[in-house]
Amino acid sequence: MRSPIRIVFEQRSETPKRLSILVPLLSVVAALVVGALFLLATGYSPIETYSNMLSDGFTSSRGITDTLGLSTVLICTGISAAFAFQMNLYNIGGEGQLYLGMIGGAWAGLALGDRLPTFVMIPVVLLVGSLAGALWVLLPAFVRSRLGTSEIVTTLLLTYIAASLVKHFVYSPGSFFVTKNSAFPQGRLVPDSAALKGIGDTSLYPTFFLVILIAVVLFWVVKKTEYGYRIQVIADSPRAAHYAGINANRTTLSVMLISGALSGLGGAVLIVGPFGRLDPGIILLGYGYAGIVIAALARNNFSAIIISGILFAGLRSGGDKLQISTSTPIHIGVMLQGAILLFALGGEAFRRYHIHAVRTERATQ
Amino acid sequence: MTNASHEVAKGPHHASGAAPSALSAHSIVKRFPGVLANDSVDFDVLPGEVHTLLGENGAGKSTLAAMLCGLYQPDSGYITRNGERIALSSPRAGLHHGIAMVHQHFRLVERFTVAENVILGSRDLSYKLNRSELEDKVAAVADSYGLPIEPGATVGELSVGQRQRVEIVKALYQGAEILLLDEPTAVLVPAEVEKLFENVHAMTRAGKSIVFISHKLGEVVEISDRVTVLRNGRVTGHVSGRGAADTKELARLMVGRDIELTTQRASHATGHEVLQIRDLSLTVNGVSVLSDISFNVHAGEMVGIAGVAGNGQRELADTIAGLISPTSGSVAISGSLTTDRGPIHARELGLAYVPEDRLGMGLVPSMSILDNLLLTRDRHIVVDRTTVRPEAARLIEQFEIKANGPDHVARKLSGGNAQKVLLARELSGGRTATKLLVVCSPTRGLDVGAIETVRALLDDARSAGQAILLISEDLDEVMSLSDRIFVLYRGSVVYETPGESAQLSTVGAAMAGLQPEGKS
Ligand SMILES: Nc1ncnc2c1ncn2[C@@H]1O[C@H](COP(=O)(O)OP(=O)(O)OP(=O)(O)O)[C@@H](O)[C@H]1O
Ligand SMILES: [Mg+2]
């Protein structure tokens, strides 16, 4: 007699170490497979497309510097998302905070003009951009910590407003951010003192190393400091935090602000780096949203975010370059990003549960 | 080796010999990282029988029960039901085979109401819930078992004792043939225990089986047809026949030595007032929770608060600890007001506080023992774990905490061992030398050996001049340790008596809200 096979989800008491690495890795592979199917179905060669992406994203020296350059902003938005997520605060408005970082950074650069030397200007621009990002999350952070209003909705809504702000500042005539009397609406370039040079004339800027340093410092802060300890207590059990006299409201507020500042930093990095101006083109790039995926793939681990940020940058920059040649589909990079998110989230099931098939036995009663 | 086998005539409820056991475990092995929680365990329960699992904290009782109900899967070995091999892949599969369990760590959804929790997991649910009908049904079941619960209340707002009742009602509601009770009586008052036992007897008479886990040896003697003793994951002893062994013998079987739980009171005159409570009242959502409470606790004195769960004990403790601001009245420690100043201020004045709720309030489940020890201490800006590590190792040894070391995660400790971590932290002093110790149900879930140790430590603390407020539903404990006893009923102190002249019956009556004649 054959009994039917059933899939059983058994909750794991402990996740094996190897799964923590295997699941993200397989998520990426699975996404590539789905992408390949998609390419096949639409009449493209997956092998050709992927090999182009690979060489444009990871293997050519130009490809590597482009990837690392792009990863700078993606790591910013990745740690921004992860910093909030680790405390179960779902700041999904990194995108809008990034715009504000660009606005703030460009404003600082333009307002100060050429008066200050580069070594002062760059930190000022980055700082003002970060503050602008933090400012953009102030309201959601405040209502969340005081009233418990969902930050998911408020941060997302503010992203749309931020996008409108960017457009307003670039397209409204006579705006501070644009060149006066120009026929073509375009952001004004920040002065040279606020512009970094790519290392060895590549698109990799020194800000990359700053961002890596910040990721490492944040990792240390969370693991080793009193502040990180509080975050862990609140994330796990708010009642224990209350018992221990840890002020959850204040920590919630500061974590949200730091998260916003990190996305803002990502925007400012674009000002001192490749963009040099407030550019409405940013709205189509979705670097802030990409940060959510990067954080999810890295399971909010700051050192893993460096890796997943670089991986994503490679996919994106490789994918973007495909668009130039006509034989390959555009947006495959973005599509893969979405697929990776889905698989990474689905992969959680494998980490949390031991999933196996059993033959169902006859009931004994 | 302790392997006492008293083959006395079997209990009255089951036929001897041939009948297959209702549920048996065969050579079950279960390994967790670093420990062998069950080492080739054989265990069975017959129809109509109460079979008790006894053992020290961390012996592997809960682990075995969890495998019998489908929550965990054995690494090797198998389980049979009425002689037939079954696969218990989940608690739901367990329910399907008529097996339900009352867990030691509550598995209730805090945001749901009592009724919602009780029906959670039942199969016969329609898509639309008729709330009032449901609540009536749950209340009816609860009443019929003599365990009063309020079906509409949110579980998150209930005391630990009330949650325990919900867990029991939930298991009974599911109409199981085999009921696994993991320390069900830990926070019940004697009358409730009696009621529960009546239910147990009714079930066994109907041919159902009970697996019972408890550290309260008196109960074990009273209720068990058989007792199996576990030690370090292995079966080390059996006792057969109801009442075949007395508590002393069970204790010896369990910990390998004699345990003497004695009465202890202040040996010398008590000192100045450390805790001063004046006209304390608390109203929550328009309901009076504490009303007009005034008393003092002196240095070197232990004051016991007796009462049925949910009569304001938790709120009283939380208010003293600075976690709740009273509606009126004041609390002072060593003459300094703590009202509205928050928990850190209270601790700086010398407070140590063991809350009734350990995992989730007293302990952070996902954190290590080491980090949990730091929870109520001064941690500096960069958390200083290196200097605390040796102390953590020392406390693990002193409190005999079964763990892989200071990095063992609290969630993965056995119930009693988690309680020991909490006690170890609060009894070992924190920011400042402890002057006032507020302990809620300190020995709940501890084995007799550990109870002895903890009581001795409390006595030491008292002798060292600390003022102790002992809040417990374990009336025996309150009566045998306290210098003065207060009974809390519906938020008021209704009875007060010196510890040595306290009468069990009078205190019990006061707890039930009956006006004792000699109210002092
Ligand atoms: N999920 C887990 N992960 C790792 N170790 C565990 C886990 N659950 C239990 N253990 C370990 O297994 C051993 C047995 O635990 P168990 O909970 O069965 O003890 P117990 O007999 O019920 O004790 P208590 O009387 O304290 O409740 C303990 O050493 C405990 O630390
Ligand atoms: Mg247990």
PDB file of all heavy atoms in Angstrom, chain B residues 65-93:
ATOM      1  N   ALA B  65       9.123  15.420  26.549  1.00  0.00           N
ATOM      2  CA  ALA B  65       7.703  15.716  26.353  1.00  0.00           C
ATOM      3  C   ALA B  65       7.472  16.388  24.996  1.00  0.00           C
ATOM      4  O   ALA B  65       6.497  16.105  24.301  1.00  0.00           O
ATOM      5  CB  ALA B  65       7.194  16.609  27.487  1.00  0.00           C
ATOM      6  N   ALA B  66       8.409  17.269  24.625  1.00  0.00           N
ATOM      7  CA  ALA B  66       8.265  17.971  23.341  1.00  0.00           C
ATOM      8  C   ALA B  66       8.296  16.978  22.179  1.00  0.00           C
ATOM      9  O   ALA B  66       7.642  17.180  21.164  1.00  0.00           O
ATOM     10  CB  ALA B  66       9.365  19.020  23.180  1.00  0.00           C
ATOM     11  N   MET B  67       9.068  15.901  22.332  1.00  0.00           N
ATOM     12  CA  MET B  67       9.105  14.905  21.260  1.00  0.00           C
ATOM     13  C   MET B  67       7.842  14.051  21.270  1.00  0.00           C
ATOM     14  O   MET B  67       7.372  13.604  20.232  1.00  0.00           O
ATOM     15  CB  MET B  67      10.357  14.050  21.393  1.00  0.00           C
ATOM     16  CG  MET B  67      11.592  14.829  20.945  1.00  0.00           C
ATOM     17  SD  MET B  67      13.074  13.840  20.940  1.00  0.00           S
ATOM     18  CE  MET B  67      13.375  13.667  22.674  1.00  0.00           C
ATOM     19  N   LEU B  68       7.284  13.846  22.459  1.00  0.00           N
ATOM     20  CA  LEU B  68       6.065  13.048  22.547  1.00  0.00           C
ATOM     21  C   LEU B  68       4.854  13.784  21.966  1.00  0.00           C
ATOM     22  O   LEU B  68       3.855  13.170  21.626  1.00  0.00           O
ATOM     23  CB  LEU B  68       5.786  12.665  24.005  1.00  0.00           C
ATOM     24  CG  LEU B  68       6.754  11.638  24.608  1.00  0.00           C
ATOM     25  CD1 LEU B  68       6.485  11.468  26.099  1.00  0.00           C
ATOM     26  CD2 LEU B  68       6.643  10.304  23.892  1.00  0.00           C
ATOM     27  N   CYS B  69       4.942  15.109  21.886  1.00  0.00           N
ATOM     28  CA  CYS B  69       3.794  15.845  21.341  1.00  0.00           C
ATOM     29  C   CYS B  69       4.053  16.338  19.924  1.00  0.00           C
ATOM     30  O   CYS B  69       3.210  16.973  19.319  1.00  0.00           O
ATOM     31  CB  CYS B  69       3.399  17.004  22.244  1.00  0.00           C
ATOM     32  SG  CYS B  69       4.427  18.457  22.050  1.00  0.00           S
ATOM     33  N   GLY B  70       5.239  16.064  19.389  1.00  0.00           N
ATOM     34  CA  GLY B  70       5.496  16.421  17.997  1.00  0.00           C
ATOM     35  C   GLY B  70       6.205  17.742  17.792  1.00  0.00           C
ATOM     36  O   GLY B  70       6.412  18.173  16.672  1.00  0.00           O
ATOM     37  N   LEU B  71       6.584  18.403  18.891  1.00  0.00           N
ATOM     38  CA  LEU B  71       7.254  19.699  18.742  1.00  0.00           C
ATOM     39  C   LEU B  71       8.695  19.514  18.275  1.00  0.00           C
ATOM     40  O   LEU B  71       9.182  20.250  17.426  1.00  0.00           O
ATOM     41  CB  LEU B  71       7.211  20.452  20.067  1.00  0.00           C
ATOM     42  CG  LEU B  71       7.771  21.864  20.024  1.00  0.00           C
ATOM     43  CD1 LEU B  71       6.910  22.750  19.142  1.00  0.00           C
ATOM     44  CD2 LEU B  71       7.849  22.446  21.431  1.00  0.00           C
ATOM     45  N   TYR B  72       9.395  18.546  18.835  1.00  0.00           N
ATOM     46  CA  TYR B  72      10.743  18.209  18.383  1.00  0.00           C
ATOM     47  C   TYR B  72      10.697  16.812  17.781  1.00  0.00           C
ATOM     48  O   TYR B  72       9.847  16.007  18.141  1.00  0.00           O
ATOM     49  CB  TYR B  72      11.744  18.169  19.540  1.00  0.00           C
ATOM     50  CG  TYR B  72      12.085  19.479  20.177  1.00  0.00           C
ATOM     51  CD1 TYR B  72      12.674  19.500  21.442  1.00  0.00           C
ATOM     52  CD2 TYR B  72      11.853  20.693  19.539  1.00  0.00           C
ATOM     53  CE1 TYR B  72      13.011  20.701  22.051  1.00  0.00           C
ATOM     54  CE2 TYR B  72      12.191  21.881  20.146  1.00  0.00           C
ATOM     55  CZ  TYR B  72      12.763  21.891  21.399  1.00  0.00           C
ATOM     56  OH  TYR B  72      13.096  23.070  21.996  1.00  0.00           O
ATOM     57  N   GLN B  73      11.678  16.538  16.919  1.00  0.00           N
ATOM     58  CA  GLN B  73      11.807  15.187  16.390  1.00  0.00           C
ATOM     59  C   GLN B  73      13.053  14.545  16.975  1.00  0.00           C
ATOM     60  O   GLN B  73      14.088  15.197  17.083  1.00  0.00           O
ATOM     61  CB  GLN B  73      11.917  15.224  14.862  1.00  0.00           C
ATOM     62  CG  GLN B  73      10.589  15.291  14.154  1.00  0.00           C
ATOM     63  CD  GLN B  73       9.812  16.561  14.476  1.00  0.00           C
ATOM     64  OE1 GLN B  73      10.392  17.634  14.553  1.00  0.00           O
ATOM     65  NE2 GLN B  73       8.515  16.436  14.688  1.00  0.00           N
ATOM     66  N   PRO B  74      12.941  13.271  17.363  1.00  0.00           N
ATOM     67  CA  PRO B  74      14.117  12.606  17.917  1.00  0.00           C
ATOM     68  C   PRO B  74      15.203  12.409  16.853  1.00  0.00           C
ATOM     69  O   PRO B  74      14.887  12.274  15.673  1.00  0.00           O
ATOM     70  CB  PRO B  74      13.580  11.258  18.407  1.00  0.00           C
ATOM     71  CG  PRO B  74      12.266  11.072  17.748  1.00  0.00           C
ATOM     72  CD  PRO B  74      11.748  12.411  17.378  1.00  0.00           C
ATOM     73  N   ASP B  75      16.463  12.405  17.321  1.00  0.00           N
ATOM     74  CA  ASP B  75      17.560  12.114  16.392  1.00  0.00           C
ATOM     75  C   ASP B  75      17.538  10.634  16.033  1.00  0.00           C
ATOM     76  O   ASP B  75      17.839  10.244  14.927  1.00  0.00           O
ATOM     77  CB  ASP B  75      18.914  12.464  17.021  1.00  0.00           C
ATOM     78  CG  ASP B  75      19.034  13.961  17.260  1.00  0.00           C
ATOM     79  OD1 ASP B  75      18.286  14.714  16.614  1.00  0.00           O
ATOM     80  OD2 ASP B  75      19.861  14.362  18.089  1.00  0.00           O
ATOM     81  N   SER B  76      17.226   9.820  17.034  1.00  0.00           N
ATOM     82  CA  SER B  76      16.999   8.407  16.731  1.00  0.00           C
ATOM     83  C   SER B  76      16.009   7.863  17.751  1.00  0.00           C
ATOM     84  O   SER B  76      15.693   8.518  18.737  1.00  0.00           O
ATOM     85  CB  SER B  76      18.313   7.624  16.759  1.00  0.00           C
ATOM     86  OG  SER B  76      18.798   7.563  18.074  1.00  0.00           O
ATOM     87  N   GLY B  77      15.536   6.655  17.509  1.00  0.00           N
ATOM     88  CA  GLY B  77      14.472   6.107  18.344  1.00  0.00           C
ATOM     89  C   GLY B  77      13.135   6.426  17.716  1.00  0.00           C
ATOM     90  O   GLY B  77      13.069   7.153  16.729  1.00  0.00           O
ATOM     91  N   TYR B  78      12.070   5.876  18.288  1.00  0.00           N
ATOM     92  CA  TYR B  78      10.755   6.106  17.692  1.00  0.00           C
ATOM     93  C   TYR B  78       9.664   6.099  18.747  1.00  0.00           C
ATOM     94  O   TYR B  78       9.894   5.766  19.915  1.00  0.00           O
ATOM     95  CB  TYR B  78      10.480   5.061  16.611  1.00  0.00           C
ATOM     96  CG  TYR B  78      10.462   3.638  17.120  1.00  0.00           C
ATOM     97  CD1 TYR B  78       9.272   3.016  17.462  1.00  0.00           C
ATOM     98  CD2 TYR B  78      11.651   2.936  17.261  1.00  0.00           C
ATOM     99  CE1 TYR B  78       9.257   1.726  17.949  1.00  0.00           C
ATOM    100  CE2 TYR B  78      11.650   1.629  17.750  1.00  0.00           C
ATOM    101  CZ  TYR B  78      10.454   1.033  18.078  1.00  0.00           C
ATOM    102  OH  TYR B  78      10.452  -0.244  18.575  1.00  0.00           O
ATOM    103  N   ILE B  79       8.481   6.479  18.302  1.00  0.00           N
ATOM    104  CA  ILE B  79       7.343   6.633  19.217  1.00  0.00           C
ATOM    105  C   ILE B  79       6.200   5.756  18.729  1.00  0.00           C
ATOM    106  O   ILE B  79       5.946   5.683  17.520  1.00  0.00           O
ATOM    107  CB  ILE B  79       6.914   8.117  19.261  1.00  0.00           C
ATOM    108  CG1 ILE B  79       8.016   8.930  19.963  1.00  0.00           C
ATOM    109  CG2 ILE B  79       5.586   8.301  19.983  1.00  0.00           C
ATOM    110  CD1 ILE B  79       7.919  10.407  19.732  1.00  0.00           C
ATOM    111  N   THR B  80       5.553   5.076  19.668  1.00  0.00           N
ATOM    112  CA  THR B  80       4.389   4.292  19.275  1.00  0.00           C
ATOM    113  C   THR B  80       3.160   4.760  20.026  1.00  0.00           C
ATOM    114  O   THR B  80       3.243   5.232  21.155  1.00  0.00           O
ATOM    115  CB  THR B  80       4.566   2.788  19.556  1.00  0.00           C
ATOM    116  OG1 THR B  80       4.848   2.611  20.947  1.00  0.00           O
ATOM    117  CG2 THR B  80       5.690   2.189  18.730  1.00  0.00           C
ATOM    118  N   ARG B  81       2.026   4.623  19.350  1.00  0.00           N
ATOM    119  CA  ARG B  81       0.734   4.982  19.933  1.00  0.00           C
ATOM    120  C   ARG B  81      -0.128   3.734  19.865  1.00  0.00           C
ATOM    121  O   ARG B  81      -0.326   3.198  18.762  1.00  0.00           O
ATOM    122  CB  ARG B  81       0.123   6.113  19.088  1.00  0.00           C
ATOM    123  CG  ARG B  81      -1.268   6.536  19.472  1.00  0.00           C
ATOM    124  CD  ARG B  81      -1.230   7.686  20.458  1.00  0.00           C
ATOM    125  NE  ARG B  81      -2.561   8.269  20.635  1.00  0.00           N
ATOM    126  CZ  ARG B  81      -3.466   7.789  21.493  1.00  0.00           C
ATOM    127  NH1 ARG B  81      -3.184   6.736  22.239  1.00  0.00           N
ATOM    128  NH2 ARG B  81      -4.635   8.373  21.605  1.00  0.00           N
ATOM    129  N   ASN B  82      -0.590   3.260  21.006  1.00  0.00           N
ATOM    130  CA  ASN B  82      -1.341   1.991  21.077  1.00  0.00           C
ATOM    131  C   ASN B  82      -0.595   0.869  20.355  1.00  0.00           C
ATOM    132  O   ASN B  82      -1.191   0.069  19.650  1.00  0.00           O
ATOM    133  CB  ASN B  82      -2.734   2.138  20.458  1.00  0.00           C
ATOM    134  CG  ASN B  82      -3.576   3.124  21.247  1.00  0.00           C
ATOM    135  OD1 ASN B  82      -3.366   3.283  22.453  1.00  0.00           O
ATOM    136  ND2 ASN B  82      -4.494   3.792  20.583  1.00  0.00           N
ATOM    137  N   GLY B  83       0.712   0.873  20.484  1.00  0.00           N
ATOM    138  CA  GLY B  83       1.515  -0.194  19.888  1.00  0.00           C
ATOM    139  C   GLY B  83       1.903   0.036  18.446  1.00  0.00           C
ATOM    140  O   GLY B  83       2.719  -0.695  17.897  1.00  0.00           O
ATOM    141  N   GLU B  84       1.331   1.050  17.801  1.00  0.00           N
ATOM    142  CA  GLU B  84       1.672   1.294  16.406  1.00  0.00           C
ATOM    143  C   GLU B  84       2.627   2.461  16.283  1.00  0.00           C
ATOM    144  O   GLU B  84       2.456   3.491  16.934  1.00  0.00           O
ATOM    145  CB  GLU B  84       0.400   1.619  15.610  1.00  0.00           C
ATOM    146  CG  GLU B  84      -0.215   0.428  14.941  1.00  0.00           C
ATOM    147  CD  GLU B  84      -1.341   0.864  14.032  1.00  0.00           C
ATOM    148  OE1 GLU B  84      -1.054   1.297  12.907  1.00  0.00           O
ATOM    149  OE2 GLU B  84      -2.504   0.802  14.477  1.00  0.00           O
ATOM    150  N   ARG B  85       3.593   2.277  15.407  1.00  0.00           N
ATOM    151  CA  ARG B  85       4.597   3.311  15.241  1.00  0.00           C
ATOM    152  C   ARG B  85       3.987   4.545  14.556  1.00  0.00           C
ATOM    153  O   ARG B  85       3.282   4.421  13.569  1.00  0.00           O
ATOM    154  CB  ARG B  85       5.712   2.730  14.388  1.00  0.00           C
ATOM    155  CG  ARG B  85       6.983   3.508  14.484  1.00  0.00           C
ATOM    156  CD  ARG B  85       8.106   2.666  13.967  1.00  0.00           C
ATOM    157  NE  ARG B  85       9.179   3.542  13.585  1.00  0.00           N
ATOM    158  CZ  ARG B  85      10.412   3.147  13.373  1.00  0.00           C
ATOM    159  NH1 ARG B  85      10.710   1.867  13.479  1.00  0.00           N
ATOM    160  NH2 ARG B  85      11.337   4.008  13.044  1.00  0.00           N
ATOM    161  N   ILE B  86       4.260   5.705  15.098  1.00  0.00           N
ATOM    162  CA  ILE B  86       3.721   6.921  14.473  1.00  0.00           C
ATOM    163  C   ILE B  86       4.839   7.931  14.241  1.00  0.00           C
ATOM    164  O   ILE B  86       5.862   7.921  14.923  1.00  0.00           O
ATOM    165  CB  ILE B  86       2.613   7.593  15.327  1.00  0.00           C
ATOM    166  CG1 ILE B  86       3.123   7.883  16.744  1.00  0.00           C
ATOM    167  CG2 ILE B  86       1.373   6.740  15.370  1.00  0.00           C
ATOM    168  CD1 ILE B  86       2.202   8.764  17.548  1.00  0.00           C
ATOM    169  N   ALA B  87       4.629   8.781  13.248  1.00  0.00           N
ATOM    170  CA  ALA B  87       5.568   9.876  12.986  1.00  0.00           C
ATOM    171  C   ALA B  87       4.911  11.160  13.469  1.00  0.00           C
ATOM    172  O   ALA B  87       3.836  11.521  13.000  1.00  0.00           O
ATOM    173  CB  ALA B  87       5.874   9.963  11.506  1.00  0.00           C
ATOM    174  N   LEU B  88       5.534  11.812  14.426  1.00  0.00           N
ATOM    175  CA  LEU B  88       4.976  13.065  14.932  1.00  0.00           C
ATOM    176  C   LEU B  88       5.809  14.192  14.359  1.00  0.00           C
ATOM    177  O   LEU B  88       6.810  14.603  14.928  1.00  0.00           O
ATOM    178  CB  LEU B  88       5.004  13.085  16.461  1.00  0.00           C
ATOM    179  CG  LEU B  88       4.069  12.098  17.151  1.00  0.00           C
ATOM    180  CD1 LEU B  88       4.290  12.127  18.646  1.00  0.00           C
ATOM    181  CD2 LEU B  88       2.623  12.424  16.831  1.00  0.00           C
ATOM    182  N   SER B  89       5.389  14.691  13.210  1.00  0.00           N
ATOM    183  CA  SER B  89       6.212  15.694  12.536  1.00  0.00           C
ATOM    184  C   SER B  89       5.922  17.107  13.030  1.00  0.00           C
ATOM    185  O   SER B  89       6.680  18.018  12.765  1.00  0.00           O
ATOM    186  CB  SER B  89       5.986  15.612  11.034  1.00  0.00           C
ATOM    187  OG  SER B  89       4.601  15.683  10.781  1.00  0.00           O
ATOM    188  N   SER B  90       4.828  17.281  13.740  1.00  0.00           N
ATOM    189  CA  SER B  90       4.489  18.611  14.238  1.00  0.00           C
ATOM    190  C   SER B  90       3.493  18.467  15.378  1.00  0.00           C
ATOM    191  O   SER B  90       2.891  17.412  15.542  1.00  0.00           O
ATOM    192  CB  SER B  90       3.839  19.427  13.121  1.00  0.00           C
ATOM    193  OG  SER B  90       2.595  18.851  12.803  1.00  0.00           O
ATOM    194  N   PRO B  91       3.318  19.527  16.178  1.00  0.00           N
ATOM    195  CA  PRO B  91       2.298  19.459  17.244  1.00  0.00           C
ATOM    196  C   PRO B  91       0.916  19.171  16.678  1.00  0.00           C
ATOM    197  O   PRO B  91       0.093  18.539  17.328  1.00  0.00           O
ATOM    198  CB  PRO B  91       2.359  20.851  17.868  1.00  0.00           C
ATOM    199  CG  PRO B  91       3.715  21.348  17.571  1.00  0.00           C
ATOM    200  CD  PRO B  91       4.083  20.767  16.234  1.00  0.00           C
ATOM    201  N   ARG B  92       0.705  19.624  15.459  1.00  0.00           N
ATOM    202  CA  ARG B  92      -0.589  19.367  14.833  1.00  0.00           C
ATOM    203  C   ARG B  92      -0.780  17.862  14.597  1.00  0.00           C
ATOM    204  O   ARG B  92      -1.856  17.323  14.832  1.00  0.00           O
ATOM    205  CB  ARG B  92      -0.647  20.140  13.520  1.00  0.00           C
ATOM    206  CG  ARG B  92      -1.902  19.869  12.757  1.00  0.00           C
ATOM    207  CD  ARG B  92      -2.215  21.005  11.849  1.00  0.00           C
ATOM    208  NE  ARG B  92      -3.327  21.731  12.403  1.00  0.00           N
ATOM    209  CZ  ARG B  92      -3.903  22.752  11.812  1.00  0.00           C
ATOM    210  NH1 ARG B  92      -3.412  23.212  10.689  1.00  0.00           N
ATOM    211  NH2 ARG B  92      -4.930  23.340  12.361  1.00  0.00           N
ATOM    212  N   ALA B  93       0.298  17.219  14.157  1.00  0.00           N
ATOM    213  CA  ALA B  93       0.236  15.768  13.991  1.00  0.00           C
ATOM    214  C   ALA B  93      -0.026  15.119  15.345  1.00  0.00           C
ATOM    215  O   ALA B  93      -0.769  14.135  15.452  1.00  0.00           O
ATOM    216  CB  ALA B  93       1.532  15.252  13.387  1.00  0.00           C
TER     217      ALA B  93
END
